[in-house]
Amino acid sequence: MSHELSHLRALEAESIHIMREVAAEFERPVLLFSGGKDSLVLVRLAEKAFRPAKFPFPLMHVDTGHNFPEVIEFRDKLIDHLGERLVVASVEESIRQGRVQEETGPRASRNRLQTVTLLDALAEHGFDAAFGGARRDEERARAKERIFSFRDEAGQWDPKSQRPELWSLYNGRHKKGEHVRVFPLSNWTELDVWQYIAEEELEIPSIYFAHRRQVFRRDGMLYALNPFVPLIDGEEPFEASVRYRTVGDMSCTGAVQSEATTLTAVVEEIAATRITERGETRADDRVSEAAMEDRKRGGYF
């Protein structure tokens, strides 16, 4: 009698193994949690890895202050339900302390400012490992990352000096002040994530489903009309049926036109698309060919 795991259960097993390895090997891990689909999958994996005990790490959200309100409401409700500790690292507070300078102008964004807030919070709490929901299929710099991705004392990443990872052997060795980013979903695709969410019947923020919203078009993307992004001459808001593939900062995250109001419809939509989620909906990756890699070298997620 043979027993073969489905591809989703094989991915799940690998990710749970990674999370347990981190819990065993590091003193102060933390799970980076945005309320988005990938971090929600991480939370479900943590439940399967560690329940009925509490998670052996807190969750941490780097809050830009310009997040979608639907996502913040969902985040708080989920944390209450989980009964776990949430650390909120605030970009607004970093600005008030003079640690970063607010950008100005119609294309200003707080997305890049998150790096300083993230590194400050990791140092303040002494976290030596940080789970992230990044996947290799998202973007070329993320495709270069190891599952255990070493960061130096300045929080920086050097893509040319990565440690080999043979089979399921991971190297978490680091000195005080250094840390490791851990990506349990590295081998997942966006479609895998959506299929897993559907199979597990996970609750997700409402903006992932098609809804009517006031939007405007800029640089080929649909932005939500919001108080953080002033309109440029010639831009006219209009109402459309849209949904989101990512839930980043409102100043750099675009929507896609969609009629998908159920998980089944979202899975079908993602299976048919030929454009990556970041390519279609993230302005921060359009700054240059190496925009993500430049940010990651500086300590970004």
Side-chain angles (χ1 to χ4, degrees), residues 48 97 119 229 291:
K48 293 199 174 188
Q97 293 175 353
L119 295 179
V229 184

Side-chain angles (χ1 to χ4, degrees), residues 8-26:
L8 285 181
R9 294 305 155 191
L11 289 169
E12 177 189 69
E14 179 190 57
S15 300
I16 289 173
H17 166 71
I18 293 166
M19 299 186 95
R20 288 174 172 165
E21 181 73 14
V22 169
E25 192 169 347
F26 291 85

